[in-house]
Amino acid sequence: MTAPAPAAEESAAAVAAEFTALYGYEPTGIWAAPGRVNLIGEYTDFNEGFVLPLALPRTVVAAVARRDDGVLRLHSADAAGGVVELTAHSLTPLSDGGWAAYPAGVVWALREAGHAVGGADVHLRSTVPAGAGLSSSAALEVATALALNDLYELGLSRPELALVAQRAENDFVGVPCGVMDQMASAACEAGHVLHLDCRDLSVRQVPLDLSAHGLCLLVVDTRVEHELGDGAYAERRAGCEAGARALGVSHLRDVPFAELRSALGRLRDELGEGPDAEKVRRYVRHVVSDDHRVERVISLLDAGDVRAAGDVLTEGHVSLRDDLRISCPELDLVVEAARAGGALGARMTGGGFGGSAVVLVEAAGAEGVAEAVREAFAAAGFAEPRVFVAEASAGARRL
Ligand code: ADP
Ligand code: MG
């Protein structure tokens, strides 16, 4: 198993010292924002449905100071190219394209929303693997947003900060993501999964103490870089919107699971039998059933029947693989090998086409399941996956 990353709290002093060495004075503060895994509820967020993410112990740690001259200097210990220098009041979407677009986009989105945010010096370091479907991008945005919220005394709530971060990613970076990742990073609490209603961003913290049940949640990073920008996401999104339109609802969240069968029949009547219509029916079936799976997992967690959630996770994977069709051979192999190795359940998580999977295992069997996955990958000729334990950790905070 990959060794746990040092807690944000432990690296705060080092990140502050790096800031001082870089900019020649001490930062005003240190902020941390975590990556996330989503336990269940995939491609449901933009359908105004439900998701159930947890924050990872892996975080972006940012040392930040406010600057009142409008200069924005951005530096990441994890990115090549040194300090990126911009001007807060002349940022333009998609002008840059590199990693700095994420934090710069947050400044832009805050200013677009009418907040009097000027410059800042930022230095950050992250333990969230980038491009692994664990939302390093949202962690980067939320750490920046929270720091600016404090330094410029904006008084924004966690959901408001998440929406700003999402706007930055959608309209400045140019990635059409939903709001789950930013909400997870901003609002998760340690020892809980976040039941998020993506319609109104209302949340319920659902207790999840896996070790008390003798269980453990593994994250398996396949090392296959996902590409959300390649049109597949937009295509699924458009298909869901077409399905909602044909069913006469604003979003697929408004189709109750109990009416799924009749809704699919109505879609057949409305859209006919062609391949595009068949696609829309598959997408609708995935979204409506995954919203229902979120409810089922929450009921099981509330009832203390955590083991039974494993089967629901696996069902979710089958739906993502066969109906939404966003899995890939590596993700399918994680699920297959983990289950053959004794896991209670497993599914791909995040946008798909690579990235990571979550695996629910008996704590005593965790190492064996991880080994079974590694062996299966070696036998298939895939790169060695990175496996680590996901403990439900704290959301964004000032250290
Ligand atoms: P994910 O959010 O699943 O990790 P994305 O493709 O959405 O994947 O975001 C990854 C991008 O975020 C990277 O390509 C990089 O631009 C930026 N990023 C993530 N972590 C860092 C970091 N530590 N330093 C600089 N940029 C980062
Ligand atoms: Mg991302």
Side-chain angles (χ1 to χ4, degrees):
M1 212 92 65
T2 305
E9 284 69 12
E10 285 167 37
S11 56
V15 176
E18 289 168 1
F19 179 105
T20 306
L22 183 66
Y23 294 120
Y25 68 99
E26 288 184 5
T28 313
I30 316 289
W31 288 262
R36 62 92 190 98
V37 279
N38 187 24
L39 195 56
I40 190 85
E42 218 66 75
Y43 283 64
T44 48
D45 61 352
F46 61 79
N47 289 295
E48 296 199 348
F50 300 96
V51 293
L52 199 61
L54 53 131
L56 293 173
R58 288 164 177 266
T59 55
V60 166
V61 176
V64 188
R66 169 176 169 163
R67 290 178 67 111
D68 290 318
D69 60 359
V71 173
L72 179 62
R73 293 195 290 181
L74 303 167
H75 184 261
S76 167
D78 312 305
V83 175
V84 177
E85 187 164 331
L86 302 161
T87 309
H89 59 260
S90 62
L91 297 169
T92 38
L94 310 177
S95 57
D96 150 38
W99 74 271
Y102 294 87
V106 170
V107 174
W108 173 84
L110 283 167
R111 292 177 59 86
E112 284 286 298
H115 302 293
V117 171
D121 283 339
V122 179
H123 165 71
L124 63 94
R125 178 179 281 284
S126 174
T127 54
V128 188
L134 303 176
S135 282
S136 68
S137 61
L140 186 49
E141 293 149 11
V142 170
T144 309
L146 191 63
L148 295 171
N149 188 49
D150 288 350
L151 291 172
Y152 282 92
E153 296 174 9
L154 304 178
L156 297 176
S157 67
R158 297 301 169 116
E160 285 168 335
L161 291 172
L163 287 170
V164 161
Q166 183 200 13
R167 172 109 207 262
E169 187 150 345
N170 288 171
D171 297 339
F172 196 89
V173 183
V175 177
C177 59
V179 76
M180 166 174 69
D181 300 350
Q182 292 80 7
M183 270 301 286
S185 187
C188 277
E189 289 180 7
H192 295 80
V193 280
L194 185 78
H195 182 202
L196 170 64
D197 181 337
C198 296
R199 170 156 284 169
D200 61 7
L201 300 193
S202 61
V203 301
R204 183 186 151 220
Q205 305 286 346
V206 181
L208 178 70
D209 186 353
L210 289 171
S211 60
H213 291 273
L215 297 173
C216 158
L217 189 70
L218 300 179
V219 172
V220 181
D221 169 10
T222 62
R223 316 292 279 261
V224 180
E225 287 239 0
H226 65 107
E227 261 306 333
L228 278 183
D230 69 353
Y233 179 88
E235 199 267 337
R236 303 302 184 279
R237 209 166 160 146
C240 289
E241 283 161 11
R245 255 193 322 274
L247 291 168
V249 293
S250 78
H251 292 85
L252 291 180
R253 179 262 181 70
D254 297 308
V255 180
F257 180 72
E259 290 167 24
L260 176 56
R261 188 185 284 265
S262 69
L264 294 172
R266 276 205 332 275
L267 284 175
R268 205 176 288 272
D269 298 341
E270 287 285 324
L271 303 174
E273 286 293 345
D276 285 346
E278 188 262 346
K279 236 184 331 199
V280 169
R281 282 200 300 278
R282 280 194 280 107
Y283 297 171
V284 169
R285 189 162 55 203
H286 166 74
V287 169
V288 174
S289 65
D290 231 32
D291 267 339
H292 184 55
R293 279 185 282 273
V294 173
E295 276 178 42
R296 286 165 63 202
V297 167
I298 288 173
S299 302
L300 292 167
L301 297 187
D302 283 341
D305 194 3
V306 184
R307 281 177 177 73
D311 281 338
V312 188
L313 300 189
T314 306
E315 254 181 56
H317 183 77
V318 171
S319 180
L320 290 163
R321 184 191 66 196
D322 297 346
D323 274 348
L324 206 59
R325 300 194 185 165
I326 61 165
S327 190
C328 66
E330 291 84 354
L331 287 167
D332 290 341
L333 187 58
V334 175
V335 173
E336 187 190 310
R339 295 189 68 227
L344 294 158
R347 63 181 281 273
M348 56 149 286
T349 180
F353 308 106
S356 300
V358 284
V359 183
L360 184 66
V361 290
E362 301 287 349
E367 196 50 69
V369 169
E371 193 48 37
V373 171
R374 274 193 292 264
E375 276 170 16
F377 268 54
F382 296 153
E384 189 180 344
R386 191 159 32 194
V387 185
F388 58 91
V389 175
E391 276 176 53
S393 303
R397 60 211 181 267
R398 185 171 187 165
L399 300 178

